[in-house]
Amino acid sequence: MPGDDIDRVQKKLTRVRGEIAKRIVGQSDVIERLLVCILCDGNALLESNPGLGKTTLVRTMAEVTDLSFSRIQNTPDLMPSDITGTEIIRETDDGREFVFEKGPVFANLVLADEINRATPKTQAALLEAMQEQQVTAAGETYELPRPFFILATQNPIDQGGTYPLPEAQTDRFLMKILVDYPEEDEEFEIVNRYTGGGTAPEVERVLSRVELQRAQQFVQQMPIADDIRNRTVRLVRSTREAENVEFGASPRASMGLVLAAKARAFLAGRSHVSWEDVEEMALPILRHRILLDFRAEREGITPEDAVRQLLDEA
């Protein structure tokens, strides 16, 4: 890996965080995990209460990294073709012809807002896009733009009329990121910044799409010590044998956790992976991939509690 290129990209990623901070107050962990997810070429599920700036964060991320952006507001009456696109009849000089009108999924960064409000049939339309980075409509397959990410949100409180994501689709999300309320001083800053009559702060495009794809390659090529990689795999495998866990994480989680640890190290400007990188990425990678048994749920144990216990024993 050419050192000069790596240093330049790492410095630009630091600037990306600075540009995002012009609009987003605090949430440094959330921003870091989103960047890690993008460096891993993965999808993310963001869970929080309304009004915590998820849409602003994702839109700003797209602007700073020169990615095309689209937003899908999921509702029970949303149809798969509303996402992927549909064939329409268009008048031409030679008569009428069917033309495929691309849907909002044809963007680099797609925000699927309140994904659990869409019906299972519509949720399934996103599954091919998430896994294969393509959509099939009217018997034809259409490639999605590269790079391609789906960042989906869901509200953990308002579950009336929702359709929980099936495990197969949840597993396609590299991370489940929890967005919490800001600290008191951060909330004062948010109010001061956005109630003074001005417009949202302007941000600069820092990273091009080509540079982002180059950064993804650097992350893939980053070396990791055998003992850390093996310890990571054993951590994921331990979820399948844990006392309170009914179903553990799949090998996809092992690959995701190793790659996320690499991306976090790269984002920090390092050329090596530490066990701390694995520990920091374990919760967002594993929390949505394990199912607890009824005894654990009865005792109030959460997936986060189970993961933390396994980390202590790793």
Side-chain angles (χ1 to χ4, degrees):
M1 294 187 290
D4 291 344
D5 281 354
I6 293 174
D7 290 342
R8 181 173 55 81
V9 172
Q10 286 176 328
K11 289 177 181 177
K12 285 201 170 188
L13 285 168
T14 301
R15 286 181 54 203
V16 165
R17 297 171 106 173
E19 289 299 309
I20 293 173
K22 290 180 179 179
R23 289 185 183 168
I24 304 298
V25 179
Q27 305 291 3
S28 58
D29 286 346
V30 174
I31 293 170
E32 177 187 76
R33 289 168 184 179
L34 267 184
L35 283 171
V36 165
C37 203
I38 286 175
L39 288 174
C40 294
D41 198 17
N43 307 295
L45 181 63
L46 290 84
E47 185 173 280
S48 81
N49 297 326
L52 296 183
K54 298 184 296 295
T55 302
T56 302
L57 171 58
V58 176
R59 189 185 295 274
T60 303
M61 184 79 72
E63 289 182 36
V64 174
T65 53
D66 193 31
L67 300 176
S68 58
F69 172 81
S70 70
R71 181 173 181 262
I72 300 169
Q73 183 62 53
N74 288 278
T75 56
D77 61 348
L78 192 72
M79 299 297 292
S81 58
D82 295 328
I83 293 174
T84 60
T86 186
E87 283 194 328
I88 63 172
I89 298 176
R90 182 169 292 169
E91 297 285 349
T92 67
D93 294 338
D94 299 323
R96 296 180 177 179
E97 64 177 9
F98 283 100
V99 178
F100 181 70
E101 187 76 16
K102 293 180 178 179
V105 77
F106 284 86
N108 297 120
L109 190 58
V110 179
L111 174 63
D113 218 357
E114 294 188 290
I115 189 172
N116 54 337
R117 291 207 171 278
T119 61
K121 185 176 182 179
T122 302
Q123 290 176 9
L126 289 171
L127 194 58
E128 182 183 11
M130 292 170 61
Q131 185 65 23
E132 306 296 337
Q133 298 192 342
Q134 65 182 30
V135 298
T136 302
E140 295 289 334
T141 299
Y142 301 90
E143 295 292 326
L144 293 166
R146 299 290 195 279
F148 175 78
F149 314 99
I150 286 183
L151 304 181
T153 71
Q154 62 180 9
N155 183 343
I157 296 177
D158 185 8
Q159 296 295 320
T162 62
Y163 303 86
L165 297 179
E167 283 73 19
Q169 183 159 351
T170 303
D171 196 44
R172 261 67 176 191
F173 287 103
L174 175 65
M175 294 187 189
K176 180 179 179 180
I177 302 171
L178 305 184
V179 185
D180 205 353
Y181 288 109
E183 299 292 336
E184 184 179 45
D185 58 335
E186 293 171 345
E187 190 160 354
F188 284 139
E189 174 60 26
I190 293 169
V191 172
N192 291 336
R193 187 177 299 185
Y194 287 99
T195 60
T199 58
E202 293 292 327
V203 294
E204 296 181 19
R205 191 201 78 181
V206 175
L207 205 65
S208 70
R209 300 177 197 181
V210 173
E211 289 172 325
L212 176 55
Q213 290 175 306
R214 189 76 174 128
Q216 292 173 340
Q217 293 174 358
F218 289 151
V219 168
Q220 288 275 358
Q221 297 164 8
M222 176 176 281
I224 180 172
D226 289 346
D227 62 323
I228 293 179
R229 183 184 60 245
N230 295 342
R231 192 178 175 188
T232 302
V233 173
R234 283 195 292 268
L235 169 66
V236 176
R237 290 181 61 84
S238 70
T239 65
R240 305 166 203 166
E241 303 166 359
E243 181 181 356
N244 296 320
V245 177
E246 185 171 2
F247 295 103
S250 70
R252 186 183 281 125
S254 299
M255 294 185 291
L257 186 50
V258 169
L259 194 57
K262 287 184 176 185
R264 184 178 185 271
F266 185 82
L267 196 59
R270 288 184 274 113
S271 59
H272 66 280
V273 179
S274 69
W275 180 247
E276 181 189 355
D277 296 317
V278 177
E279 290 180 314
E280 286 296 319
M281 293 295 103
L283 275 177
I285 294 287
L286 296 176
R287 62 163 51 106
H288 59 298
R289 288 186 161 103
I290 62 176
L291 293 178
L292 302 179
D293 61 21
F294 74 95
R295 290 171 299 178
E297 293 178 352
R298 185 179 59 193
E299 294 170 6
I301 297 173
T302 65
E304 286 85 354
D305 295 331
V307 173
R308 289 189 183 98
Q309 181 177 349
L310 293 174
L311 277 171
D312 290 340
E313 299 168 356

